[in-house]
């Protein structure tokens, strides 16, 4: 069975959501990044940077980076789910996946690093204004090619990996206080109301609860 190593509402949620959309049989294992579990030798074998998500294949090989994991799951196990038929539409899906990772998400990562992730002496508060400007520019680019009021999904009439990557990034922005246009909020609501997303959130919560219960049991021994 495949295993996804995750932390709730991080980028790992994209991989669990993808797994749920394609009906994958898998294990979801919580890695408590905030308590240092990512830096344990056991996890560093999975990801040399100590991060999540990580996919462990049935043969014991590992794959990290959320975009790579999602694309792998769709290509190998999706059986056409989340994957357009035409080459052009697949190219458009890849376009939006790359855009999500390289343009829309990058300012959010910058903001997170310089407010809470990096050591205080490495943070540059002045860069936060640049991050906001870059995010707003990325949103404008998105809306130039996507009209959420007339298009249900990003590519054609089929929900795809593009929607997972873009909507998850918009969700992160919304949670961090970025102001999103009303039409994108409606699109985000459509995406997050999908049963597979609801199941994915619960899978990560269940994995966390299971890990915490095991840790408490170990402490009592």
């Amino acid at each position: 069975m495949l295993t996804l190593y995750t932390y709730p509402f991080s980028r790992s949620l994209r991989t669990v959501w993808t797994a749920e959309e394609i009906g994958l049989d898998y294990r979801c294992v919580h890695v408590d990044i905030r308590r240092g579990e990512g830096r344990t030798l056991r996890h560093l074998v999975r990801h040399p940077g100590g991060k999540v998500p990580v996919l462990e294949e049935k043969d014991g090989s590992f794959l990290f980076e959320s975009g790579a994991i999602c694309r792998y799951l769709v290509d190998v196990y999706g059986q056409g789910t989340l994957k357009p038929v035409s080459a052009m539409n697949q190219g458009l899906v890849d376009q939006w996946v790359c855009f999500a990772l390289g343009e829309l998400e990058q300012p959010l990562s910058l903001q997170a690093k310089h407010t809470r992730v990096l050591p205080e002496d490495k943070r540059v508060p002045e860069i936060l204004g640049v991050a906001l400007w870059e995010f707003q520019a990325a949103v404008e680019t998105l809306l130039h090619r996507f009209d959420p009021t007339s298009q249900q999904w990003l590519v054609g009439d089929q929900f795809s990996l593009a929607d997972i990557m873009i909507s998850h990034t918009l969700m992160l922005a919304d949670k961090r206080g970025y102001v999103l246009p009303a039409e994108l909020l409606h699109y985000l609501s459509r995406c997050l109301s999908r049963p597979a997303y609801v199941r994915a959130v619960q899978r990560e919560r269940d994995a966390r609860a299971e890990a915490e219960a095991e840790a408490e049991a170990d402490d009592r021994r």
Side-chain angles (χ1 to χ4, degrees):
M1 183 181 294
L2 280 73
T3 301
L4 286 169
Y5 297 93
T6 74
Y7 186 86
F9 286 102
S10 68
R11 294 181 184 92
S12 62
L13 180 55
R14 299 166 176 166
T15 65
V16 182
W17 186 358
T18 299
E20 290 294 332
E21 288 282 355
I22 66 177
L24 187 68
D25 184 21
Y26 68 102
R27 293 171 61 235
C28 185
V29 176
H30 176 72
V31 178
D32 198 335
I33 298 297
R34 294 192 177 182
R35 292 188 178 180
E37 288 185 6
R39 306 307 303 177
T40 61
L41 290 177
R42 181 169 60 178
H43 190 67
L44 289 172
V45 170
R46 305 168 188 145
H47 191 314
K51 299 179 180 181
V52 291
V54 177
L55 168 69
E56 182 176 359
E57 252 291 7
K58 288 171 281 191
D59 64 359
S61 56
F62 297 106
L63 183 66
F64 59 84
E65 291 298 327
S66 63
I69 293 170
C70 291
R71 180 63 187 269
Y72 176 82
L73 293 178
V74 170
D75 287 348
V76 177
Y77 297 102
Q79 297 182 323
T81 305
L82 302 179
K83 191 177 180 68
V85 175
S86 77
M88 174 53 77
N89 278 356
Q90 182 58 58
L92 289 171
V93 168
D94 292 342
Q95 166 192 284
W96 288 121
V97 169
C98 291
F99 178 81
L101 296 171
E103 298 289 335
L104 194 63
E105 180 185 83
Q106 188 271 340
L108 303 182
S109 298
L110 199 62
Q111 182 255 357
K113 288 177 180 178
H114 289 275
T115 55
R116 56 187 174 83
V117 176
L118 293 175
E120 288 193 22
D121 64 332
K122 302 296 183 184
R123 299 175 191 175
V124 182
E126 293 79 9
I127 209 166
L128 299 179
V130 177
L132 176 60
W133 177 82
E134 286 190 329
F135 179 77
Q136 291 171 336
V139 167
E140 289 178 8
T141 299
L142 173 62
L143 290 175
H144 272 300
R145 288 297 181 91
F146 174 54
D147 180 3
T149 61
S150 62
Q151 297 171 250
Q152 186 175 21
W153 310 120
L154 276 162
V155 179
D157 58 2
Q158 179 184 358
F159 183 84
S160 70
L161 184 55
D163 296 293
I164 289 178
M165 301 300 287
I166 291 290
S167 65
H168 179 267
T169 307
L170 292 174
M171 180 198 69
L172 292 178
D174 187 51
K175 284 182 174 294
R176 294 177 189 178
Y178 285 78
V179 178
L180 299 177
E183 58 266 40
L184 281 183
L185 287 173
H186 290 311
Y187 164 71
L188 180 59
S189 178
R190 281 201 299 274
C191 293
L192 302 191
S193 65
R194 292 179 66 84
Y197 173 79
V198 177
R199 292 195 303 270
V201 171
Q202 191 60 49
R203 283 296 295 266
E204 286 200 324
R205 286 175 175 163
D206 290 346
R208 183 177 197 167
E210 182 180 348
E212 290 175 347
E214 289 177 357
E216 289 178 6
D218 288 342
D219 289 342
R220 290 195 296 268
R221 291 192 184 109

